[in-house]
Amino acid sequence: QVQLVESGGGLVQAGDSLRLSCAASGRTFSSYAMAWFRQAPGKERDFVAAISWSGGNTYYADSVKGRFTISRDNAKNTVYLQMNSLKPEDTAVYYCAADTRLRVNRFYDYWGQGTQVTVSS
């Protein structure tokens, strides 16, 4: 069992940077792959980035490659999403997810409550 809580969202201008954090609780956090998804109003929840339990493998959606970086600190039970060069189209609720293996679809077992990111032009 894993519980996830996102933080770090807010209102920024286009071109700014923001770092999201996802704090996990549970005895086996380091055994889980982690991912970030985002969902704008009226739209599907889309994959953003994922990282393996060891941190050795990462995957990114084409829309964020070169701008976003996912990382994890297993000692702190935390996964991060560093977002640079933000664009208005990045505006969404960002969700943290966890599962026993890395995947790039929406079939993760555990989800956080989401944190709002708004990018103004």
Side-chain angles (χ1 to χ4, degrees), residues 12-94:
V12 298
Q13 295 182 339
D16 284 352
S17 297
L18 201 61
R19 186 181 70 172
L20 305 183
S21 298
C22 175
S25 61
R27 276 200 267 263
T28 58
F29 169 79
S30 63
S31 297
Y32 286 81
M34 304 291 294
W36 288 95
F37 290 77
R38 65 187 182 186
Q39 186 169 23
K43 297 185 178 180
E44 296 286 314
R45 186 171 297 187
D46 292 329
F47 170 79
V48 175
I51 187 168
S52 62
W53 69 268
S54 67
N57 295 314
T58 58
Y59 295 88
Y60 297 93
D62 288 341
S63 59
V64 305
K65 284 181 179 178
R67 299 189 299 120
F68 291 10
T69 302
I70 188 171
S71 62
R72 67 189 297 161
D73 186 341
N74 289 345
K76 296 182 178 179
N77 293 333
T78 301
V79 63
Y80 304 96
L81 185 67
Q82 178 66 46
M83 304 183 293
N84 298 327
S85 301
L86 283 163
K87 305 174 181 179
E89 52 262 44
D90 295 319
T91 295
V93 176
Y94 283 70

Side-chain angles (χ1 to χ4, degrees), residues 86-108:
L86 283 163
K87 305 174 181 179
E89 52 262 44
D90 295 319
T91 295
V93 176
Y94 283 70
Y95 296 90
C96 180
D99 212 331
T100 53
R101 73 176 183 90
L102 187 151
R103 62 182 77 245
V104 297
N105 54 41
R106 291 179 289 175
F107 304 129
Y108 279 77

